[in-house]
Amino acid sequence: MCGIVAAVTRYNIINILLEGIKKLEYRGYDSSGLAVVDHKNNIIRIRCVGKVNELIKEVNKKKISGHIGMAHTRWATHGKISKENTHPHISSNIIVVHNGVINNNSILRVFLKKQGYIFYSDTDTEVIAHLLHWEQNKKKDSLQQTIRKSIKKLHGNYSMVVIDKNNPFQLIAARSGSPLVIGLGEEGNFIASDQIALLHITKRFVYLEEGDVAIVKKKEINIFNRKNFKIERKVTISNLQYKSAKKGKYSHYMEKEIYEQPISIRNTLKHYLKENNSIYFPELESKEKNIFYHAEHIQIVACGTSYNAALVSKYWFESLANIPCDVEIASEFSSRKLAVRKKSFLITLSQSGETADTLSALRYAKKLGYLGNLTICNMEGSSLVKESDFHILTQAGIEIGVASTKSFTTQLTVLLMLVAKIADFKKKYFISKKIIHSLSTLPSQIEKILKKNELIKTIANKLSNKKNILFLGRGEYYPIAIEGALKIKEIAYIHAEAYPAGELKHGPLALIDENMTVIIIAPKNLLLEKIQNNIKEICLRGGLIYVFSDQDFDCEDNVHIIKLPKVQELIAPIFYIIPLQLLAYYIALSKGKNIDQPRHLAKSVTVE
Ligand code: G6P
């Protein structure tokens, strides 16, 4: 779960590497490093513990330059956070940055030590560096052959970039497990874990596929597939806007992304609605009848916030499209023997399209008997998009904040559109019409709630010293409660737990006293009376209650109502997450936490 950027050009690459690695900080921010081969053919390496800014300061102090080099931002998996463990790792003339985990690194380490190699770090990456050096010196092979031979000995994931200082005109990239993309420039070429890192220099990208090895020179790239055959990979022109990766007037990316939700939902709707207001998913159009017409069950697999979006959609698939739906956490799904339901269709949900657990689940599911698979994803060209039969891209734009916000609401928008599409197949046209109409009102409703930020800020200030918060909801508001609790855990470091309100009496009620804060999501619907009873039960036991609702309640002093505008029931779950995102944001802000890069977390979890 690290970020890689590398460049070989006619000009000095230091700024390209620094700017690129700064943009990849969302992938890991324990420590970062850079290495270049300078004009005297020396390897210059600088490594720092902490944020990428530390590296930038250090590099700027030293005034180094080079035409070929690489940088890396680390999220520790093997070895503690220390300068020694920070990439790049070097073995004599070989320089390596790596993203992944080498499972047999201990065995290789013992072997390499016996060959006389000295290890300065605890990382599996240093094992790769020494292994490459050892292989290269055994037969004096080219670096490309050396890499081919070495990767056969590596068990696990090893997306990497390598430079041999004895041939400082080429970068060699090998992809396994984590993504690597080549950026094509006019006077040089580049490699990165994510196109975001290179958008400031190019829009032309070539995505490497699993097992590919690429030789990247200033004016030329050559790619060899898993079987070592030379292969042409498609050049993609990116539509992503570099400016959408900047914070603009906002203090944090998360704040910006919360406020961008009306626009990202509008963009998603516009993308998939035709002029006559019918839904059009281009990827599915020719075959969708075959898939969804015949599907008798939907299985959704995802992690984190995407999993919570999937949980909400289960209610929609079943109640609106009358199709049974199950949702499972990806790591659980792929680690057990599954009994696949008859005529089941698999959906994976992911912002990044690179989450290792979700990818493994897809790969596992492909060996089982699903009718087919679809990914709903925010990242064009990502591994999930490439490996799935079909894809629908959410139009959230680049999301940088580790805690997902706009990708959650655009996922829900697409999921609800998919439900409408299935309802159409089942000739329930009134349902799809209602969904489309409700969704069209959503962006303006969200704009209204975003204007309530001052009210939410006041509540956040009152909650910032709390140790525990219990979130309750019923029906589709239970997953919304889970997502609200997750946001608070992720960025405000408060223990927050979500329960279906109906389960209160089966355990959590024992926790209620004057120190327990309870947040309840209670819009007007058929379950409102039941939730009112829950409020009374908590109230009697002294719990401090905050209710997010469009209703007035007759209540005691310890119950605070946050009155929200009325919205159409179909879209209300999407609407109710917005105040909870704001609440988490303002609590974290008042506690002075690092909102965009919470401790120990990363945006894209590319290791299982
Ligand atoms: C990480 C991120 C979460 C995200 C989850 C799933 O845990 O910190 O924000 O929800 O991964 O990521 P995905 O890209 O698959 O949606």
Side-chain angles (χ1 to χ4, degrees), residues 236-302:
T236 311
I237 309 296
S238 174
N239 295 323
L240 283 179
Q241 292 297 320
Y242 174 52
K243 70 171 173 13
S244 68
K246 290 188 171 169
K247 261 190 281 196
K249 64 176 181 183
Y250 296 98
S251 312
H252 298 93
Y253 282 110
M254 185 184 178
E255 184 190 19
K256 172 177 178 259
E257 287 155 8
I258 291 174
Y259 279 86
E260 267 172 4
Q261 289 177 105
I263 194 149
S264 45
I265 292 172
R266 268 192 196 109
N267 287 343
T268 303
L269 288 171
K270 206 163 93 194
H271 206 80
Y272 296 115
L273 277 182
K274 287 203 290 192
E275 270 174 17
N276 65 357
N277 253 0
S278 65
I279 295 166
Y280 180 76
F281 291 127
E283 258 267 314
L284 297 179
E285 220 51 36
S286 59
K287 298 186 184 147
E288 64 188 353
K289 272 208 166 108
N290 302 337
I291 305 155
F292 289 110
Y293 204 70
H294 298 295
E296 288 177 8
H297 175 255
I298 288 178
Q299 174 69 57
I300 313 187
V301 182

Side-chain angles (χ1 to χ4, degrees), residues 182 213-217 220-224 230-232:
I182 299 174
V213 170
I215 302 173
V216 177
K217 298 182 183 172
E220 178 189 355
I221 64 163
N222 287 297
I223 302 174
F224 299 84
K230 190 160 184 262
I231 192 149
E232 292 294 318

Side-chain angles (χ1 to χ4, degrees), residues 331-355:
S331 54
E332 289 297 314
F333 180 89
S334 49
S335 59
R336 68 189 181 88
K337 209 167 165 205
L338 291 164
V340 180
R341 300 267 197 113
K342 220 175 97 199
K343 296 193 180 169
S344 182
F345 188 76
L346 183 94
I347 299 180
T348 57
L349 209 55
S350 173
Q351 187 285 128
S352 62
E354 300 297 347
T355 303

